[in-house]
Amino acid sequence: MTTSSPVAPDARPARPGARAWFALGILCFVYVLNFLDRQLLSILAKPIQDELGVSDTQLGLLGGLYFAAFYCILAIPVGWLADRTNRVKVLAFSCALWSAATAACGLSTNFGQLAVSRMAVGVGEAGGVPPSYAIISDYFPSGTRGTALSLFNLGPPIGQALGVAFGASIAAAYSWRLAFIWVGVIGVITAVIVWFAVREPKKGGLDAPVAPAPVATTDPVAPAPTGFWSTGRMFFANPVLRGISLACGATQFVTYALLGFAVLFLQREKGMTLEQVAVWYALVVGVCVSIGMLVSGRLIDRLSKRSKTAYAWLPAIGLAIAIPFFAGFVWAPTWELSLLFLTVPMALNYFYLSPSITLVQETVRPDQRVMSGALLLLVMNLIGLGLGPTYLGFASDVFQANGYENSLQMAFYSLIAFYLLAVGMFLGMVGKIRRQVAREALA
């Protein structure tokens, strides 16, 4: 496998310029809109149910299967297309599509229309994150990508926090429909800005050139052209890429289960009101997750210069420290104490994301970055988004059927086993990374 080399040891990494930071700011705002839209559905579930007669099961399908199926699967061909074409244009078109579909959600008059609109949102969002990963990796050189990607990954916590505050406020003052429509219009305008204001960076322009072979051969040293299936085979045949994807999936199993049921848990078993959730829970999500993203990005940029194994043991340490605080969140007798305990897991649970994305982006060739990012998201989201909340809801029902009044609390306790699994998988990555570094040194 041909990898994109980091900056040569005797060379000083290029410093990102103003255009790089401008592009990063625009891409981060696009990501904020992405998650703000996702949060709106769960926040506005009650008025949607009241007006359209949508059941809880239908709401679960709208936010889960109908969205995730299109979002996860279509990210692969869209990533392949973006690797072969203009990634900025693919991102701009995708942003316009999911934003228009978001506005269509506000115009829906029945469940069928709302379902089609949510599927279209998933189709559009499939072209959002993977191209952004690759664009950022070609604007920021090795040694700064962890920080840049951690700043980009502030999009989800900011979007989630704004979704709680914005959605509830607009729905209370006007209607749930206007919340969807306004977010959609803002997204379409943003797509136009991306199309005209963000320049497509040269693929691999900031990567050190691969050293020429010592002996000439009849075949050129240049890598073979990128292919859809060849990139997929490369990704899953590489033990580091395959392993980091599964470790991230195990982590997201916990994080998506927590995010999917934390509000219900705090209200039903800790006595928190919806008004208190809109203020205090939103602050915990927005502030703590953002801190975790930023700190982990800065740490990985520093620590990976000493050893690439930091991409594995940094997430492992973060998750291990989070476990007792997560147990405290589940155990605490009051919502105030429970939320206080939750601040630590909300930060440390996300120590895996920026290091993992950076590792993938620096392991593959520049013309494979978008699709490789899409494959990483495919594995993470199919396991995390697809299975995490489903498991926790099922476990709660099982505990309730066996006579436990605090069934959701018992289900949350069972997540500790998956925490331990994720820690073990990241620790297992340390040896895989060492072996890959050794192979590259001998090549």
Side-chain angles (χ1 to χ4, degrees):
M1 184 197 71
T2 302
T3 60
S4 61
S5 301
V7 176
D10 57 346
R12 170 176 287 186
R15 296 180 64 84
R19 184 174 292 276
W21 291 108
F22 172 77
L24 178 61
I26 295 296
L27 296 182
C28 186
F29 184 70
V30 171
Y31 206 9
V32 168
L33 292 177
N34 181 308
F35 262 77
L36 199 160
D37 159 59
R38 297 188 201 182
Q39 191 72 13
L40 281 179
L41 185 66
S42 60
I43 296 301
L44 303 177
K46 186 63 167 60
I48 291 174
Q49 282 186 320
D50 292 342
E51 184 171 338
L52 301 185
V54 177
S55 68
D56 288 344
T57 299
Q58 289 173 323
L59 278 173
L61 290 170
L62 290 172
L65 180 61
Y66 289 170
F67 175 87
F70 286 90
Y71 176 72
C72 294
I73 302 301
L74 287 180
I76 306 306
V78 171
W80 175 80
L81 175 66
D83 271 329
R84 298 171 67 88
T85 58
N86 187 300
R87 297 163 296 182
V88 171
K89 300 302 189 250
V90 171
L91 173 63
F93 178 81
S94 300
C95 180
L97 175 58
W98 88 59
S99 298
T102 298
C105 291
L107 300 174
S108 301
T109 59
N110 54 56
F111 172 75
Q113 294 176 359
L114 191 58
V116 172
S117 298
R118 289 301 295 177
M119 289 184 222
V121 171
V123 172
E125 291 192 6
V129 179
S132 297
Y133 287 161
I135 293 168
I136 292 169
S137 295
D138 283 330
Y139 265 119
F140 290 82
S142 180
T144 65
R145 286 173 185 153
T147 298
L149 288 167
S150 69
L151 289 169
F152 173 71
N153 284 322
L154 292 178
I158 294 173
Q160 290 167 0
L162 287 178
V164 175
F166 178 83
S169 300
I170 296 299
Y174 302 100
S175 73
W176 65 270
R177 295 182 179 278
L178 278 180
F180 280 102
I181 293 172
W182 286 3
V183 171
V185 171
I186 293 172
V188 172
I189 295 172
T190 303
V192 174
I193 295 174
V194 171
W195 184 281
F196 290 104
V198 179
R199 180 182 298 175
E200 171 76 359
K202 180 182 177 181
K203 295 177 181 177
L206 297 179
D207 294 302
V210 177
V215 179
T217 62
T218 56
D219 295 325
V221 177
T226 301
F228 180 87
W229 296 112
S230 62
T231 301
R233 287 192 297 270
M234 175 279 301
F235 188 93
F236 289 109
N238 186 303
V240 168
L241 298 178
R242 184 176 63 246
I244 203 70
S245 300
L246 292 173
C248 288
T251 306
Q252 284 203 338
F253 188 99
V254 175
T255 59
Y256 272 114
L258 174 60
L259 289 174
F261 285 89
V263 172
L264 180 61
F265 175 67
L266 289 167
Q267 288 184 280
R268 193 166 80 189
E269 301 195 13
K270 304 298 181 183
M272 202 174 187
T273 66
L274 186 59
E275 291 78 13
Q276 291 166 335
V277 167
V279 176
W280 299 110
Y281 179 73
L283 282 174
V284 168
V285 171
V287 174
C288 296
V289 177
S290 298
I291 290 174
M293 297 287 191
L294 288 171
V295 172
S296 63
R298 294 290 293 176
L299 284 175
I300 202 61
D301 274 341
R302 291 177 179 271
L303 298 174
S304 62
K305 294 176 183 178
R306 303 175 185 175
S307 174
K308 292 189 72 172
T309 58
Y311 289 116
W313 58 255
L314 180 63
I317 291 174
L319 290 170
I321 296 174
I323 293 175
F325 291 93
F326 174 79
F329 156 72
V330 180
W331 160 84
T334 66
W335 71 262
E336 292 92 345
L337 184 58
S338 184
L339 209 58
L340 183 62
F341 274 117
L342 184 61
T343 58
V344 177
M346 274 295 182
L348 297 181
N349 280 0
Y350 294 88
F351 262 42
Y352 78 98
L353 192 55
S354 295
S356 300
I357 295 168
T358 305
L359 176 62
V360 171
Q361 295 293 298
E362 295 199 347
T363 298
V364 303
R365 296 201 317 250
D367 60 345
Q368 296 173 320
R369 281 177 173 157
V370 181
M371 187 173 169
S372 296
L375 289 167
L376 174 67
L377 291 176
L378 171 68
V379 176
M380 289 196 307
N381 287 318
L382 282 179
I383 296 174
L385 181 60
L387 301 180
T390 302
Y391 161 78
L392 197 67
F394 175 77
S396 178
D397 287 341
V398 169
F399 281 118
Q400 186 176 41
N402 283 274
Y404 289 90
E405 294 183 2
N406 56 338
S407 59
L408 195 52
Q409 183 183 45
M410 299 303 297
F412 267 118
Y413 274 130
S414 71
L415 282 181
I416 294 177
F418 295 95
Y419 257 114
L420 295 172
L421 175 63
V423 171
M425 293 180 73
F426 274 112
L427 289 177
M429 285 299 303
V430 173
K432 294 179 181 179
I433 293 174
R434 282 177 179 161
R435 287 190 289 272
Q436 176 167 291
V437 171
R439 286 194 300 269
E440 291 175 353
L442 293 174

